Amino acid sequence: MKACFMGLGYIGLPTAIIAAKHGVQVTGVDINPHVVEMTNQGRLHIIEPGMEEMLQEVVKSGALKASIKPEVCDAYFMVVPTPFKGNHEPDISYVESATRAVIPYLKEGDLYVIESTSPVGTTDKMKDLIFAERPELKDKIYIAYCPERVLPGNVIYELVHNDRVIGGMNEASTTKAIEFYSQFVQGTLHRTNCKTAEMCKLTENSSRDVQIAFANELSLICDKAGINVWELINLANKHPRVNILQPGCGVGGHCIAVDPYFITADFPVESQLIAKAREINNYKSFWCAEKVQNAMLRFELEHHRKPCVAMMGLAFKPNIDDLRESPAKYIVTKVMQSCNNANILVVEPNVKEHNVFKLTDYKEAYEKADIVVMLVAHDPFKTLPYTTDKIILDFCGIYKK
Ligand code: SAJ
């Protein structure tokens, strides 16, 4: 079996590698020649533990090769980004151009799958596009949607072991796609239709966003009421049917802070709660930045000098080096802009160097600072003692009870 993966990014490349390792003859396609070149040399252009060794193996055996254009295969997978435009409207133009690129190669019996996170109805739209260009293929090819749900950093395990939801445009398409994925997925492959599968991916991430918004809202209420929110949540979670998540300095990453907009853009009247959750989680970052600015002003008034501030963490969640859509990065930027960068020490132990921020060692920054702002609960920060000699703003529960 020959398969073509359109897009060699965080998901496309690992999936292509795993498929190749399981006996599929894979062509990985990317519009970026640098990515193609690196892949063919067995060098990984993304960071993912254990993946480069696997890439070298499949490149060496000839099971995977990369190219800037597709070729005749039996199955085609669209694994390209679906960002949003300025107004939070989803932009499916990459899915569309990847689809247009494979249309000339499609033949009877082929499988076409979208993996990219997509608004509801995208698979139907691409089906119409394919049949408008190639009407002779109607009822002769298989079309399905199968979202990925892996966690970066644990991709090798999760690609194989997670359950997957597979929704075809008809039963035959679902069956055909299940046959493909069962070559390397050991988790259960759940059958559905393409609209439900599209909505399922958006639902998973919106559900988490809404739950985190609840925790963040509690943190705002508790701050005003003088209650330790971490203690409160811990106690409330002792109830057998309550499971509140943790508040933080906002919600980041390229999935949870993004996917809910794919629902709110298409169903603005119905998705009140989902939209509000996005607003609350964004507001939490703004609120944190204001808290820091207020603490700095108060310090200056009391001590007649500007404080030294340690901003602890830039990543979008604990113990990773990924800064995409990071609320911590947003807060650091906002605070720096408001005070002309004076006396701000930026800390991110998982990143060696950054092209915008000058980074300081976490212990050194903590020692020097008058105000310590805990933004991301990275493990090393938990070794820093709590002290009343400094002003500590703990937005991520480093010192939770
Ligand atoms: N966060 C909190 N409080 C919590 C948990 C998380 O504030 O209690 C914050 C994190 O700090 C971070 C953000 O939420 O800023 C997102 O972190 P995450 O670990 O929840 O999610 P991601 O973006 O790394 O990965 C998610 C996962 N989806 C779900 O858990 C539903 C992953 O399984 C998906 O594959 C991925 O999105 C994706 O590709 O959609």
Side-chain angles (χ1 to χ4, degrees):
M1 167 146 216
K2 279 180 152 186
C4 181
F5 283 82
M6 302 297 290
L8 294 178
Y10 277 91
I11 302 301
L13 183 56
T15 314
I17 294 170
I18 300 266
K21 212 176 140 55
H22 286 79
V24 180
Q25 184 64 42
V26 175
T27 303
V29 178
D30 204 289
I31 52 167
N32 183 343
H34 178 64
V35 167
V36 170
E37 198 181 313
M38 276 187 81
T39 306
N40 281 331
Q41 289 167 355
R43 288 159 57 212
L44 207 64
H45 77 96
I46 55 169
I47 300 167
E48 185 58 45
M51 198 52 91
E52 191 160 77
E53 292 80 348
M54 234 186 231
L55 171 65
Q56 283 163 4
E57 192 187 316
V58 292
V59 167
K60 212 168 162 196
S61 73
L64 181 141
K65 68 168 194 288
S67 168
I68 53 163
K69 60 178 198 347
E71 58 180 68
V72 175
C73 286
D74 308 302
Y76 299 85
F77 296 83
M78 310 302 115
V79 204
V80 289
T82 40
F84 51 60
K85 304 170 198 158
N87 52 358
H88 292 138
E89 291 277 323
D91 173 5
I92 59 163
S93 61
Y94 295 118
V95 176
E96 193 175 322
S97 59
T99 303
R100 284 190 192 279
V102 303
I103 286 177
Y105 298 89
L106 291 172
K107 56 179 176 2
E108 189 174 340
D110 282 355
L111 170 66
Y112 163 93
V113 176
I114 303 177
E115 282 207 9
S116 308
T117 303
S118 302
V120 174
T122 303
T123 312
D124 269 341
K125 267 191 199 149
M126 293 306 117
K127 178 189 80 181
D128 292 346
L129 184 77
I130 294 169
F131 293 148
E133 301 270 324
R134 303 283 306 277
E136 77 280 9
L137 290 176
K138 245 185 200 155
D139 300 325
K140 301 222 167 78
I141 61 167
Y142 305 96
I143 295 181
Y145 182 78
C146 178
E148 57 75 22
R149 27 161 78 147
V150 293
L151 204 60
N154 196 25
V155 169
I156 297 180
Y157 179 85
E158 295 207 355
L159 264 183
V160 173
H161 292 91
N162 286 358
D163 283 12
R164 291 193 76 150
V165 173
I166 301 188
M169 68 164 182
N170 49 31
E171 291 294 333
S173 294
T174 310
T175 303
K176 187 83 175 175
I178 286 182
E179 271 168 31
F180 178 84
Y181 283 101
S182 56
Q183 294 179 94
F184 60 91
V185 176
Q186 288 173 26
T188 307
L189 301 169
H190 301 272
R191 300 179 72 95
T192 183
N193 55 48
C194 39
K195 262 193 197 172
T196 309
E198 288 162 344
M199 186 62 185
C200 189
K201 166 74 185 188
L202 305 180
T203 300
E204 291 163 19
N205 284 342
S206 300
S207 151
R208 204 152 159 86
D209 198 41
V210 169
Q211 290 178 55
I212 298 168
F214 181 67
N216 278 332
E217 184 163 292
L218 285 177
S219 74
L220 301 178
I221 296 168
C222 286
D223 183 74
K224 213 167 214 175
I227 294 169
N228 178 328
V229 68
W230 316 99
E231 186 195 357
L232 170 79
I233 290 175
N234 186 26
L235 292 172
N237 283 347
K238 301 288 180 211
H239 184 293
R241 286 169 298 281
V242 172
N243 187 12
I244 304 168
L245 293 180
Q246 301 295 300
C249 68
V251 169
H254 34 102
C255 306
I256 293 179
V258 175
D259 295 0
Y261 291 122
F262 285 38
I263 299 177
T264 57
D266 287 340
F267 307 94
V269 177
E270 296 79 6
S271 57
Q272 302 288 317
L273 181 62
I274 296 171
K276 197 70 196 171
R278 277 287 63 243
E279 224 178 87
I280 291 167
N281 286 332
N282 286 338
Y283 173 69
K284 182 66 194 284
S285 311
F286 176 84
W287 181 89
C288 291
E290 298 258 288
K291 278 263 166 198
V292 179
Q293 286 159 2
N294 286 341
M296 287 167 75
L297 283 175
R298 222 175 302 125
F299 184 96
E300 206 177 329
L301 283 175
E302 275 172 29
H303 300 266
H304 309 290
R305 66 171 175 89
K306 285 194 185 303
C308 175
V309 184
M311 300 296 276
M312 308 295 282
L314 280 177
F316 84 80
K317 66 176 183 178
N319 305 321
I320 58 163
D321 62 358
D322 194 337
L323 311 188
R324 285 179 293 176
E325 315 284 334
S326 166
K329 198 170 83 179
Y330 160 85
I331 294 165
V332 172
T333 309
K334 199 166 177 313
V335 170
M336 284 178 113
Q337 281 167 350
S338 73
C339 69
N340 268 337
N341 301 353
N343 297 322
I344 305 276
L345 303 174
V346 181
V347 174
E348 181 40 74
N350 300 301
V351 175
K352 274 207 189 81
E353 238 177 275
H354 192 270
N355 52 7
V356 174
F357 303 106
K358 180 181 175 294
L359 300 176
T360 304
D361 171 72
Y362 74 97
K363 282 186 189 150
E364 185 189 330
Y366 174 87
E367 289 300 330
K368 284 186 179 161
D370 304 300
I371 303 177
V372 178
V373 184
M374 293 296 187
L375 295 168
V376 190
H378 290 315
D379 285 343
F381 298 168
K382 295 179 183 161
T383 63
L384 300 169
Y386 187 82
T387 167
T388 46
D389 297 346
K390 298 173 186 292
I391 297 163
I392 295 184
L393 299 176
D394 181 9
F395 296 131
C396 56
I398 294 281
Y399 300 109
K400 67 180 163 196
K401 278 191 195 135

